[in-house]
């Protein structure tokens, strides 16, 4: 008796169907519920910060892409299935009772709509979900313009490669996806319904199956021909493994480029051969065409370029690649903003030709030499300024400059933030953590070039004293505003870097009218937040949404939440900027500044491109990471770029969270494109206040990337570039033992040779390629005048000026340093501060390094300045090392008299002696405390009564200076110096010498 073929899948009972539907609904809720909750809370948050148009713009583009690509792929697949099904044979021969296809055919026929519509819908949904992530590519295509520059190969504007080509590639890729899926869908359908049979020696294809598969295959090959055309343009962003330069090489232009045109022609011929399968029953023609395409892609596309590379280019590489290296140099400089109009190269000897006392600008450089290292002193700030256990400071502090009492000064700055991770005991209760301890309090700054007082030899030997600590300038609730040097009207900090390190980072603030304040403000007072930030959470729907978002039932049932309550979340300044401007790449470090008597966070943001023709590509995390980032774990942008601009500066108000984006580069075509997408998101440069602009710093991350590029791309000659002879290297950080991490760049105040005033610069030393000798010194201005202008001091290759690593070795092995280190190491932890490289003395290099100690006696110890190390190479070529409790004393050991230019410890920088007021002392002399050496009495015999009177007055003023120095009264000291200057001038006017 014959067996009946299976009739398909068994039907489900009513109970099973109910359970199945319930399971599907629950799965959908679990899958979509969190996304819907996030969408709603994001809608509320973007409305709070005033960037809902950005949120809607991105959402709209994503949705349109999802629908268009999903529909396109789904319809193409549906059409392939429909054509195969409708052209199926009327009679399908059965191979036997065990025919494996019969069961599947029956199943498909029983649920034809499920398969015919469900498969295209599923594939369309998946394609749409993947495609919606390409929203930025679409928007740049729609709003991108011209760069005003053409590539040297095809003579097309750079905008074509950055805005148009990625879009064409995206469209082409989805055409490929749709055609490939359609081919297999059509093939499988024909197989299931008998249009394709594998039984027998050769199998069989119906005419309909042959025609449909041939057409789809022909379309695929035609698309491949189009891809070969666009491959030509992609060659300008070649990613081949070339150790010397990026972009197309001689082989790419002279072998690969012609090969692409040949392959394009072959692909068109092969497509015609596939279409011939419509009328020809013989499939050998399409098969031969496919074999020809594969063979030609191997021979023409791979073998021929390899032959050219090995036998033509390699033996004459320097000559052959010269033109393309030159293109790479020019494009890389353009892409990274290091062109000749922005970078000034100067020859620098590395050996002094004068004394710093003879160079007026050196007074500003040495007087502002930084002794406080922001990357070491966080524990010191915490111990001396924490106030409460739940306050804290970031592991790495920041540096900025302020004009106090008419004097520009760089400060180590930090916000005293709420540190939720430091809460302990009952402080961690949900009520306390999210409704009581909600904010930080105050702005803390310390002059970077001085401490309270130097340590004596006896104190340093014992390893402890009350000296060597920062002189704090504090602006908080406990400091009366009229006594604040940096005035802050609202010191409360609800948005900050430490707050965001806790997950979740939300705070619920506000209370009903008449209700007692709940938030901690001081031991005797509570506070109720009245800022504009925050999302209302008083209504039950919003409560439910946030309770679901944070999986926290207390949000629903807590009586601490009233109708007027608001929830503050996304409190990291960097994250807030990244969310409101997702097309930007934010810098890894935000820093606090006082602007308009409010504390704001300043965040640098970049426009980037991953493919700029001919330009060197780099990984941001690789170029940016240095020893400090490694230690602190600072957030680093992880992205591959070949173009970067700091075109946007953002501010985040520390009290109400207001985010403001400012345009800072009106010539950036990428930013111009994004402004076309989001016209109201970025404010014009004209709205930046002078006070805010004065606190803009040249961003470290961008500088590190440009520094990495300048190691190679300062070279003009292609042949010299090819040999690597003139390349530089970023020095390893000499203060870190057991590691080879890059030395970070440092913000310093350097004297401007033109004005002799201090200029806030970001600087870095550069050493020779695989060498340790100093090769260059890079600095870039941060002040509004000349912002972003680079100065590169290039040292001659034959000089042997010590680099940072060599200098560190020579300083730490000096006898005095070695002895004290040995003495302190038993009970103290030695910490080396930032090794600053300062150009002084019209060609010389001065190294300054603070030397900290930290007692190993308990958890309450923290770094304090112990000594100052200096190193200097004089005009005779000898390297001298100074080591003393003060910078002045250390300087006098290596440059007699130069200590007079240093800022006195604990003193007002405005009383620093002026250059030329004190002549050099003898090499063996010992300077008095503070390092300031008064001029000796006048010599010679006065010949007139006027000269005698002037000489007597000069002697009295010298004695007054000495008296003021002994008393330690810096105000009297400054006044005495001014009177001494006048007495010296009067004596000279009277004819004295």
């Amino acid at each position: 008796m014959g067996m009946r073929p299976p009739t398909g899948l068994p039907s489900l009972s009513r109970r099973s169907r109910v359970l199945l539907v319930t399971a599907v609904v629950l799965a959908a809720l679990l899958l979509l519920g969190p996304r819907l909750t996030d969408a709603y809370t994001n809608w509320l948050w973007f409305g709070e910060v005033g960037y809902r148009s950005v949120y809607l713009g991105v959402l709209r583009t994503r949705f349109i892409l999802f629908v268009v690509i999903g529909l396109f792929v789904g319809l193409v697949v549906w059409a392939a299935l429909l054509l195969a099904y409708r052209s199926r044979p009327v009679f399908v021969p059965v191979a036997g009772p065990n025919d494996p296809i019969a069961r599947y055919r029956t199943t498909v026929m029983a649920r034809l709509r499920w398969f015919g519509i469900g498969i295209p819908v599923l594939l369309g949904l998946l394609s749409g979900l993947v495609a919606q992530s390409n929203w930025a590519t679409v928007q740049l295509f729609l709003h991108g313009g011209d760069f005003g520059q053409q590539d040297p190969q095809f003579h097309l504007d750079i905008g074509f490669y950055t805005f148009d080509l990625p879009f064409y590639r995206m469209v082409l890729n989805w055409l490929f996806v749709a055609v490939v899926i359609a081919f297999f869908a059509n093939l499988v359908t024909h197989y299931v319904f008998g249009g394709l049979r594998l039984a027998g020696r050769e199998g069989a294809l119906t005419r309909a199956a042959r025609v449909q598969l041939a057409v789809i295959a022909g379309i695929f090959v035609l698309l491949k021909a189009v891809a070969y055309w666009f491959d030509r343009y992609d060659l300008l962003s070649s990613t081949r493994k070339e150790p010397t330069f990026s972009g197309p090489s001689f082989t790419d232009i002279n072998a690969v480029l012609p090969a692409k045109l040949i392959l394009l022609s072959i692909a068109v011929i092969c497509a015609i051969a596939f279409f011939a399968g419509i009328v020809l029953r013989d499939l050998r023609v399409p098969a031969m065409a496919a074999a020809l395409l594969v063979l030609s892609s191997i021979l023409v596309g791979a073998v021929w370029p390899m032959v050219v590379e090995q036998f033509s280019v390699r033996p004459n590489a320097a000559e052959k690649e010269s033109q393309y290296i030159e293109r790479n140099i020019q494009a890389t400089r353009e892409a990274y903003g290091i062109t000749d109009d922005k970078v000034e190269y100067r020859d620098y000897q590395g050996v002094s030709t004068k004394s710093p006392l003879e160079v007026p600008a050196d007074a500003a450089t040495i007087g502002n030499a930084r002794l406080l290292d922001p990357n070491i002193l966080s524990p010191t700030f915490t111990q001396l300024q924490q106030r409460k256990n739940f306050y804290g400071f970031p592991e790495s502090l920041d540096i900025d400059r302020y004009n106090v009492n008419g004097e520009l000064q760089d400060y180590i700055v930090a916000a005293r933030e709420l540190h939720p991770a430091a809460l302990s005991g009952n402080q961690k209760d949900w009520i306390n953590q999210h409704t009581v301890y909600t904010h930080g309090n105050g702005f803390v700054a310390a002059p970077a070039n001085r401490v309270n007082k130097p340590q004596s030899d006896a104190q340093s030997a014992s390893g402890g004293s009350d000296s060597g600590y920062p002189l704090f300038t504090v602006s908080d609730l406990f400091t009366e505003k009229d006594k604040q040097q940096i005035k802050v009207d609202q010191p409360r900090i609800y948005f900050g870097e430490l707050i965001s390190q806790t997950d979740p980072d939300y705070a619920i603030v506000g209370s009903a009218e008449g209700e007692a304040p709940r938030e901690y403000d001081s031991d005797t007072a509570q506070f109720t937040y009245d800022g504009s930030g925050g999302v209302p959470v008083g209504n039950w729907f919003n409560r439910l949404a946030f309770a679901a978002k944070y999986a926290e039932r207390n949000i629903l049932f807590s009586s601490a939440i009233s109708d007027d309550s608001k929830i503050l979340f996304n409190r990291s300044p960097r994250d807030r900027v990244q969310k409101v401007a997702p097309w930007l790449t934010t810098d890894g470090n935000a820093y606090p500044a006082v602007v308009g008597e409010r504390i704001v966070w300043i965040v640098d943001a970049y426009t980037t491109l991953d493919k700029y023709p001919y330009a060197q590509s780099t990984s941001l995390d690789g170029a940016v990471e240095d020893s400090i980032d490694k230690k602190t774990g600072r957030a680093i942008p992880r992205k591959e770029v070949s173009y970067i601009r700091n075109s946007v500066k953002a501010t985040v108000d520390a009290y109400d969270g207001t985010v403001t984006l400012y345009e800072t580069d009106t010539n950036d075509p990428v930013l111009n494109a994004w402004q076309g997408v989001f016209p109201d998101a970025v404010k014009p440069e004209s709205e930046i206040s002078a006070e805010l602009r004065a606190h803009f710093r040249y961003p470290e991350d961008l500088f590190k990337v440009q520094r990495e590029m300048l190691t190679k791309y300062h070279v003009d000659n292609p042949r010299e570039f090819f040999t690597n002879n003139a390349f530089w290297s970023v020095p390893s950080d000499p203060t870190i033992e057991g590691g080879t991490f890059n030395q970070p760049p440092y913000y310093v105040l350097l004297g401007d040779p033109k004005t002799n005033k201090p200029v806030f610069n970001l600087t870095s030393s550069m050493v020779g390629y695989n060498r340790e000798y100093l090769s260059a010194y890079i600095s870039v201005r941060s002040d509004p005048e000349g912002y972003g202008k680079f100065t590169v001091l290039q040292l001659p290759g034959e000089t042997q000026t010590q680099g940072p690593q060599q200098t560190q070795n020579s300083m730490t092995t000096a006898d005095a340093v070695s002895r004290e280190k040995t003495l302190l190491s038993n009970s103290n932890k030695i910490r080396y501060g930032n090794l600053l490289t300062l150009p002084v003395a019209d060609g010389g290099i001065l190294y300054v390094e603070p030397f900290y100690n930290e007692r190993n006696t308990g958890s309450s110890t923290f770094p304090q300045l112990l000594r100052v190390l200096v190193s200097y190479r004089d005009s005779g070529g000898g390297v001298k090392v100074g080591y003393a409790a003060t910078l002045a004393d250390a300087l006098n050991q290596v440059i007699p008299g130069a200590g007079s230019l240093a800022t006195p410890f604990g003193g007002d920088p405005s009383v620093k002696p002026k250059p030329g007021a004190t002549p050099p002392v003898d090499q063996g002399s010992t300077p008095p405390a503070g390092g300031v050496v008064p001029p000796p009495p006048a010599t010679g015999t006065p010949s007139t009564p006027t000269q005698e009177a002037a000489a007597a007055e000069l002697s009295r003023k010298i004695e007054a200076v000495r008296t003021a120095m002994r008393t330690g009264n810096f105000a009297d000291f400054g006044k005495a110096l001014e009177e001494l200057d006048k007495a010296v001038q009067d004596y000279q006017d009277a004819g004295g010498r």
Side-chain angles (χ1 to χ4, degrees):
M1 186 173 84
M3 295 178 61
R4 290 191 300 172
T7 59
L9 296 176
S11 60
L12 298 175
S13 65
R14 179 183 178 84
R15 180 181 179 184
S16 298
R17 287 198 296 271
V18 171
L19 291 175
L20 181 61
V21 171
T22 303
V24 170
V25 171
L26 289 175
L29 288 175
L30 290 174
L31 182 65
L32 298 178
R35 288 166 173 77
L36 293 175
T37 300
D38 284 343
Y40 178 66
T41 55
N42 281 334
W43 165 271
L44 296 174
W45 184 84
F46 276 94
E48 169 214 338
V49 295
Y51 286 86
R52 189 169 283 168
S53 60
V54 173
Y55 181 66
L56 289 176
V58 174
L59 199 63
R60 187 183 305 114
T61 309
R62 287 179 180 272
F63 179 75
I64 292 174
L65 258 180
F66 170 81
V67 171
V68 170
I69 298 299
L71 277 176
F72 173 72
V73 173
L75 286 174
V76 170
V77 174
W78 175 78
L81 292 173
L82 181 65
L83 288 173
Y85 175 74
R86 288 193 170 181
S87 60
R88 69 190 184 280
V90 177
F91 173 73
V92 181
V94 179
N98 296 321
D99 183 4
I101 301 301
R103 178 175 182 175
Y104 298 109
R105 185 183 305 118
T106 304
T107 301
V108 171
M109 291 299 294
R111 294 173 176 81
L112 196 58
R113 290 187 178 179
W114 280 77
F115 285 97
I117 298 178
I119 290 176
V121 167
L122 178 62
L123 291 173
L125 287 174
L126 293 175
S127 300
L129 288 173
V130 174
Q132 55 88 28
S133 63
N134 295 319
W135 68 274
T137 301
V138 174
Q139 290 289 14
L140 285 177
F141 170 75
L142 294 175
H143 296 90
D146 291 340
F147 275 64
Q149 297 174 1
Q150 293 183 347
D151 77 275
Q153 183 62 40
F154 298 106
H155 306 292
L156 297 173
D157 189 87
I158 301 299
F160 168 79
Y161 300 94
T162 57
F163 300 140
D164 300 342
L165 187 59
F167 176 79
Y168 298 146
R169 275 295 190 188
M170 184 198 77
V171 172
L172 191 60
N173 288 339
W174 283 111
L175 288 172
F176 272 121
V177 168
V179 169
V180 169
I181 295 177
F183 180 85
F184 285 103
N186 187 271
L187 181 70
V188 171
T189 304
H190 277 299
Y191 179 61
V192 169
F193 288 100
L196 168 64
R197 296 190 301 276
L198 301 180
R201 179 173 299 179
E202 298 180 355
L205 265 178
T206 63
R207 182 178 183 280
R210 186 181 72 251
V211 169
Q212 292 170 20
L213 293 174
V215 169
I216 296 174
I219 293 174
F220 177 87
V221 179
L222 272 182
L223 291 175
K224 188 62 180 173
V226 176
Y228 282 133
W229 177 262
F230 287 119
D231 285 346
R232 298 160 57 249
Y233 302 122
D234 282 332
L235 284 176
L236 300 195
S237 300
S238 175
T239 56
R240 60 186 168 70
K241 300 296 181 181
E242 166 58 53
T244 307
F245 67 100
S246 295
S249 64
F250 179 92
T251 302
D252 289 323
I253 299 301
N254 294 278
V256 178
L257 183 58
K260 295 295 182 183
L261 292 174
I262 295 171
L263 290 172
L264 184 154
S265 303
I266 295 174
V268 171
I269 295 172
C270 291
I272 295 173
F274 275 102
F275 289 135
I278 298 174
V279 295
L280 298 176
R281 296 179 56 89
D282 193 348
L283 295 178
R284 286 178 294 182
V285 174
M288 290 173 61
L292 174 63
L293 185 62
V294 172
L295 183 62
S296 60
S297 63
I298 295 173
L299 294 178
V300 179
V303 175
W304 169 243
M306 183 177 65
V307 170
V308 172
E309 176 74 19
Q310 292 296 326
F311 297 100
S312 178
V313 177
R314 291 292 175 88
N316 310 284
E319 178 184 351
K320 295 279 189 181
E321 303 289 16
S322 179
Q323 176 185 359
Y324 307 101
I325 292 176
E326 190 172 1
R327 293 179 178 181
N328 172 234
I329 292 173
Q330 183 61 33
T332 300
R333 290 177 176 178
E334 292 284 352
Y336 290 94
I338 50 176
T339 49
D340 291 341
D341 61 319
K342 298 179 180 177
V343 182
E344 180 185 0
Y345 294 90
R346 297 179 186 171
D347 292 331
Y348 201 74
Q349 295 304 311
V351 179
S352 59
T353 59
K354 300 178 181 178
S355 167
L357 292 166
E358 302 176 73
V359 182
D362 288 353
T365 299
I366 295 176
N368 290 286
R370 179 149 55 88
L371 302 180
L372 299 185
D373 186 345
N375 300 305
I376 286 182
L377 289 177
S378 179
T380 304
F381 270 58
T382 300
Q383 290 293 336
L384 300 180
Q385 291 295 325
Q386 184 182 27
R387 301 282 173 88
K388 294 294 181 181
N389 72 290
F390 43 81
Y391 293 142
F393 297 95
E395 190 171 353
S396 181
L397 306 177
D398 291 295
I399 186 166
D400 197 4
R401 68 282 198 202
Y402 288 85
N403 198 314
V404 178
N405 299 325
E407 185 77 15
L408 182 67
Q409 171 70 60
D410 54 346
Y411 285 80
I412 307 300
V413 299
R416 187 191 291 124
E417 298 184 52
L418 177 72
H419 192 191
L423 296 173
S424 62
N426 196 50
Q427 292 173 337
K428 291 186 175 181
D429 179 80
W430 185 86
I431 288 289
N432 288 331
Q433 185 171 355
H434 294 287
T435 68
V436 176
Y437 301 114
T438 58
H439 59 277
N441 174 22
F443 181 81
V444 180
N449 65 340
R450 58 192 191 274
V451 294
N452 55 354
K453 58 183 177 181
Q455 295 196 22
S456 67
D457 291 339
Q459 290 170 335
S460 66
S462 63
S465 72
D466 62 349
S467 59
Y469 294 126
L471 293 163
F472 290 106
T473 295
V474 181
S475 304
D476 58 12
L477 292 169
F478 312 110
T479 307
E480 296 180 14
K481 188 175 179 182
D482 59 351
K483 296 181 180 179
Q484 296 175 358
Q485 285 189 310
I486 302 175
K487 298 188 183 301
V488 173
D489 182 60
Q490 177 53 270
R492 298 177 180 88
I493 299 168
Y494 282 85
F495 299 84
E497 295 177 300
L498 290 181
I499 298 172
S500 64
Q501 293 177 5
T502 301
D503 187 22
D505 71 343
Y506 65 89
I508 298 177
V509 297
S511 59
E513 186 175 351
E515 185 178 329
R518 177 182 300 274
E519 303 173 54
Y520 176 87
D521 218 29
S522 69
D523 289 343
T524 59
Q526 280 69 45
F527 180 72
T528 297
Y529 179 77
D530 59 359
S532 60
V535 171
V537 74
N539 66 73
W540 282 101
F541 189 80
N542 283 4
R543 277 203 193 194
L544 180 63
F546 284 101
K549 177 182 179 67
Y550 294 114
E552 179 55 67
R553 65 177 183 275
N554 286 317
I555 296 178
L556 277 177
F557 304 114
S558 175
S559 60
I561 303 176
S562 67
D563 291 342
D564 297 322
S565 293
K566 295 194 290 186
I567 185 169
L568 309 178
F569 62 107
N570 294 334
R571 294 201 280 170
S572 162
R574 181 174 178 268
D575 291 346
R576 288 176 80 82
V577 174
Q578 188 67 75
K579 284 182 72 71
V580 302
W583 68 90
L584 296 173
T585 300
T586 53
D587 190 271
N589 181 37
Y591 60 98
V594 176
V595 180
E597 299 189 354
R598 293 182 71 89
I599 301 173
V600 298
W601 296 93
I602 299 178
V603 183
D604 290 288
Y606 311 114
T607 55
T608 61
L609 296 170
D610 57 356
K611 287 187 177 182
Y612 187 97
Y614 281 98
Q616 173 75 43
S617 179
T618 187
S619 173
L620 282 186
D621 54 329
V624 164
E625 191 173 53
D626 57 32
S627 61
I628 302 305
D629 302 323
K630 202 72 177 178
K631 183 185 76 171
T632 61
R634 184 173 71 94
I636 296 177
R638 302 193 179 277
K639 199 172 188 179
E640 195 80 17
V641 302
S642 63
Y643 173 96
I644 186 168
R645 289 287 188 278
N646 177 216
S647 299
V648 174
K649 300 277 190 180
T651 62
V652 178
D653 191 285
Y655 181 70
D656 61 28
T658 301
V659 180
T660 309
L661 307 178
Y662 295 101
E663 177 187 22
T664 56
D665 187 348
T666 56
N667 297 318
D668 180 13
V670 182
L671 179 61
N672 293 338
W674 284 118
Q675 286 181 313
V677 182
F678 306 109
D680 301 322
V682 181
K683 292 188 175 182
E685 190 173 13
S686 59
E687 295 194 25
I688 301 175
S689 68
E691 185 180 6
L692 174 59
R693 189 182 292 276
H695 289 285
F696 284 167
R697 309 183 315 186
Y698 199 83
E700 288 182 77
D701 285 353
L702 176 60
F703 180 79
K704 292 174 188 177
V705 173
Q706 293 172 320
R707 174 179 70 171
E708 190 68 33
M709 292 299 112
L710 283 171
T711 59
K712 297 166 60 175
Y713 290 96
H714 67 277
V715 179
D716 292 313
N717 189 299
R719 291 178 178 272
E720 192 175 18
F721 190 100
F722 187 81
T723 62
N724 299 354
N725 284 337
F727 286 179
W728 300 331
S729 297
V730 177
S732 59
D733 191 342
T735 66
I736 303 297
E737 297 181 358
T740 56
F741 310 114
N742 284 351
Q743 184 183 37
Y746 298 121
Y747 290 104
V748 295
L749 282 171
L750 297 177
D752 186 345
K754 297 179 180 178
T755 64
N756 301 328
K757 294 181 179 180
V759 178
F760 194 63
N761 283 14
L762 182 57
T763 66
S764 177
S765 302
M766 304 297 283
V767 294
Y769 187 62
N770 292 332
R771 300 175 74 236
E772 294 296 342
Y773 287 107
L774 193 68
S775 289
Y777 182 77
I778 302 175
S779 63
V780 60
R781 295 176 67 122
S782 289
D783 288 347
E785 300 82 12
Y787 179 91
K789 295 293 185 181
F790 281 79
T791 299
V792 179
L793 305 179
Q794 299 186 98
L795 278 70
E798 63 275 8
T799 60
Q800 294 189 340
T801 303
Q802 287 188 342
Q805 193 71 53
Q806 295 169 322
T807 299
Q808 179 76 5
N809 292 339
S810 65
M811 290 194 304
T812 56
T813 56
D815 290 342
V817 182
S818 181
R819 284 196 304 270
E820 194 151 77
K821 278 178 57 182
T822 303
L823 183 63
L824 290 169
S825 59
N826 293 329
S827 59
N828 293 263
K829 181 179 180 181
I830 302 301
R831 305 283 296 274
Y832 295 108
N834 36 224
L835 178 60
L836 302 180
T837 307
L838 305 175
V840 296
D842 196 24
I845 295 292
L846 174 68
Y847 288 99
V848 177
E849 181 178 56
F851 183 84
Y852 299 88
N853 76 307
E854 186 174 349
R855 283 170 287 167
N856 295 327
T857 57
S859 59
S860 62
T861 61
F862 40 92
Q864 61 185 146
L865 183 67
L866 177 68
R867 289 286 184 264
V868 180
L869 288 158
V870 299
S871 177
Y872 183 72
R873 184 185 183 193
D874 60 23
S875 56
V879 176
K880 297 180 180 179
V881 173
Y883 179 67
T886 68
L887 174 60
D889 288 348
L891 280 171
N892 280 327
Q893 293 173 14
V894 298
I895 314 173
S900 63
L901 303 179
T903 298
F905 275 72
D908 188 332
S910 64
V911 303
K912 291 196 302 289
K914 297 178 175 58
T918 58
V921 298
D922 293 335
Q923 176 70 27
S925 65
T926 302
V932 182
V933 183
T939 60
T941 303
S943 58
T944 66
T946 304
Q947 290 179 3
E948 290 178 358
E953 180 67 14
L954 179 60
S955 296
R956 286 193 293 271
K957 296 306 180 185
I958 290 172
E959 186 59 33
V961 169
R962 287 171 174 161
T963 301
M965 289 173 59
R966 286 194 294 269
T967 61
N969 188 319
F970 289 102
D972 292 345
F973 177 68
K975 183 178 179 182
L977 278 176
E978 291 178 0
E979 293 176 350
L980 176 60
D981 283 345
K982 185 175 184 303
V984 171
Q985 185 63 44
D986 291 343
Y987 178 71
Q988 292 173 346
D989 292 343
R993 291 183 293 112

